[in-house]
Amino acid sequence: MPNENELFSAVDALLESVAQDDLPPPAERKRLREAAGLSQAQIATALEARREAVGNWEAGRTEPRPPKRAAYARLLEGLAARFPAPAAEAPPAAAPAGPDAFTRATAVPPAPGPAQPTAAAGTPAPVPACAKAATSHRLPAKKATAKAVPVSADDRFANGPLGVLDGDGTLYCVGGLILDCPAKTIPALVDWTLSEAQLGAPRLHPSGKDADPLIVLTAAAAERLGLPLELEDRRGLRLPEDHKVVKQLARAKWQLTRRGFGPWARLYRPVEAGRRQCVQLAVLPWGALDSRSWGSTDQLAPADIARVLGTYAARVITPRGSTAVSGLEAMTALRPPTRAVQDEATGSWVSGAMPGSLTEAVDPAPVEAPDEHPAAAALYPRGHQRTPAEVLDEEAYEWIRDPQLLTDVECERAFAVGIDVNTAFLAAANRLVVGLSGPVHVKAPAFDKKTPGSWLVDLSGIELDPRMPNPFTPHGVQPEGPAWYATPTVAYAQELIDTYRLPKQIRPLEGWIRTAAGPYLDPWYKRISEAYKTTMADLGVTSDLTEAEFLAAVEQHKATDPALAAVLSAIKSTVKGGIGKLRERPKSIRHKLGERWPALERPTWRPDIRAAVISAARVNMHRKVLKTALAAQKGPAPSGHLMLDHDALLPIAVLSDCAVYLSDGPNPLDFLPRTTDGKPAPGSFRLGVSPGMVKHEGTQELLWAVQMLDEGHNPARHIKGTDATLDGE
């Protein structure tokens, strides 16, 4: 016979099971506590919970879980007996019994129709309660954090693209949504994410793929799931194969990509019945969010991390790795390599190449290949330094003026002022025609600016004023003979010859050209450009500001909202990193010169496209420098030469997208040339928020800049007072 204690324990267990849904509405919970004169802290102490948790229960943001739920229900029941609600204030009838009774009371189904544009997202969209065991709630909007973005109208992704999991099993999603995640192992987390969490994002192109759900793990969540807080393998940045979590995944038939289980782990099973089974994990304590791209995002509260990443996901793409990886993934998502086509013979639908996309991996021309590539390694011995006539060297500017070429007028100015081109590489990608096929070698071709490729041509005969950087070399020094150039560089040389009647002809000796071409990067440009401008507008920098208002807004825009500033930083890193990924070098320490590496097998490994973008960015910078100089000088435009007047306005340094000028005042408006009616001079640098326009980068004193030049340092790198490369610039 059971004793009394055992019977009581059985009854308590039964009461606890019955009490799972026996909670009054949130407003009634608060009324009962206040009627009894109790504080949230007192209830939290009694239930061994956090005060914030009690506040969330009363606000309806979260629900208590066993065993606290039964104890909380008992407390409320006792208070209700002592402090019954007045008849006029009686709480509404309880929802029908069932596991989702209380979530149904507050959940609102998603509105029909397509998702609203991100730019118009000011408030979170209605979201249904998560199916089965997941309990969902919304956090109120907070100040000083990224604006909430609407979740998807697609029922499959009702809870948005991603979630940030904390150590207590709380999953923070976009729009303030919170889910309770019961998983205590990585395999269980992956199963729950795919079966119940309703996370993911619709494809960006009709022929593309839906974005897989992303789960971000805080340090507490990682520890709860059995992951170490620090990776022992600091070089490979992955868990060892014999780690218990890796073994758990293997037993559960989950596979890892070649990257293994690292800061960005991708877990998948083979496609079943046309349905992808894949989850992306980001482990914060392992450095998943690089501070150079994301700032201090990983130090924010989980809900704020979800807002930052959710905003980025809505405007760019759901992160799948570093911002460089995400930039490359966005290119593919916006221009998928294949589409469904109907087989004329059988009438069935099969996979076919997508027009205008990169559809297959192709090897570069030897001159376009980095030293490690088989195409280059087969031609030259180890340690050989390739000359400009042997390798395509299209890189961003790194130039300083010889201090001996400073004029007396320049030395009388008080300040060095830096101006920075907004997302210069992104602007260069706009309407840029790039090769879509492999290279074809031609001898003595006629140059065609509409044909993308690499050209061996002698541009050393085009002489420019030595006070300005040469547009044909990254170091800004005049070339000494034939060299390989991408199409935008040679096209600009032809533009200078035609515009200023220079005594020179373009006669390529060789070429590696692409017969199939198109503006592959246009969708990428449009999406990221819109993301950049929208985020800047959220930070108070809009296109309708006057120049003075624009400068003032830019001066303090990062302090307006630190979370949105992190989104902006990530967007800019996405551009530079994505372009860089087009020529990803081997990463393995075991790689040997001349061996292939994994990146070569993807269609987006295209060093020629990277070279074309950088070439276009560099000549765009030079074109603006030259137009600015001509607009400021008093004499007529040169003809037959490119030697400028003594009073021409020329930079003293250029670093990639930043140019430094000497000025009488500390503001760009103090030196940028104007027309007679006060407007910016045509073709010169213009202040504004759009890609390709410029903003104020920083100001230092003249003597500081001259000392930098004398010591051989680039003032553009330090004009803000810090190293631009350390700031992710």
Side-chain angles (χ1 to χ4, degrees), residues 13 28 60 64 126 145 199 215 236 312 330 340 387 480 514 560 648 661 686:
E28 177 66 4
T145 58
L199 296 175
I215 302 294
Y312 178 88
T387 67
E480 298 179 351
R514 265 75 182 179
T560 301
Y661 285 84
R686 298 188 64 174

Side-chain angles (χ1 to χ4, degrees), residues 26 29 56-57 59-64 69 102-104 106-107 127-130 134-140 159 170-180:
R29 303 170 199 176
N56 287 337
W57 299 343
R61 302 185 194 118
T62 60
E63 293 289 313
R69 186 181 181 92
F102 287 94
T103 55
R104 279 200 302 267
T106 56
V127 181
C130 187
T135 306
S136 62
H137 311 276
R138 280 202 178 280
L139 285 174
N159 295 330
T170 302
L171 188 74
Y172 297 85
C173 304
V174 300
L177 180 71
I178 289 180
L179 305 179
D180 288 332

Side-chain angles (χ1 to χ4, degrees), residues 92-240:
D100 294 330
F102 287 94
T103 55
R104 279 200 302 267
T106 56
V108 181
Q116 295 299 313
T118 304
T123 57
V127 181
C130 187
K132 300 180 182 178
T135 306
S136 62
H137 311 276
R138 280 202 178 280
L139 285 174
K142 295 183 178 181
K143 294 183 179 180
T145 58
K147 291 183 179 178
V149 289
V151 295
S152 171
D154 190 324
D155 289 342
R156 297 171 301 158
F157 314 125
N159 295 330
L162 55 88
V164 180
L165 184 63
D166 208 358
D168 61 356
T170 302
L171 188 74
Y172 297 85
C173 304
V174 300
L177 180 71
I178 289 180
L179 305 179
D180 288 332
C181 174
K184 295 184 180 179
T185 66
I186 294 293
L189 173 63
V190 177
D191 286 331
W192 177 84
T193 300
L194 292 175
S195 62
E196 301 184 24
Q198 294 180 276
L199 296 175
R203 62 198 67 187
L204 298 181
H205 187 281
S207 296
K209 298 176 182 177
D210 296 328
D212 298 312
L214 167 64
I215 302 294
V216 181
L217 304 180
T218 65
E223 198 168 23
R224 179 191 185 194
L225 297 170
L227 298 174
L229 294 182
E230 185 174 339
L231 287 171
E232 294 182 3
D233 182 2
R234 301 308 302 165
R235 183 182 293 272
L237 288 177
R238 64 180 65 189
L239 285 179

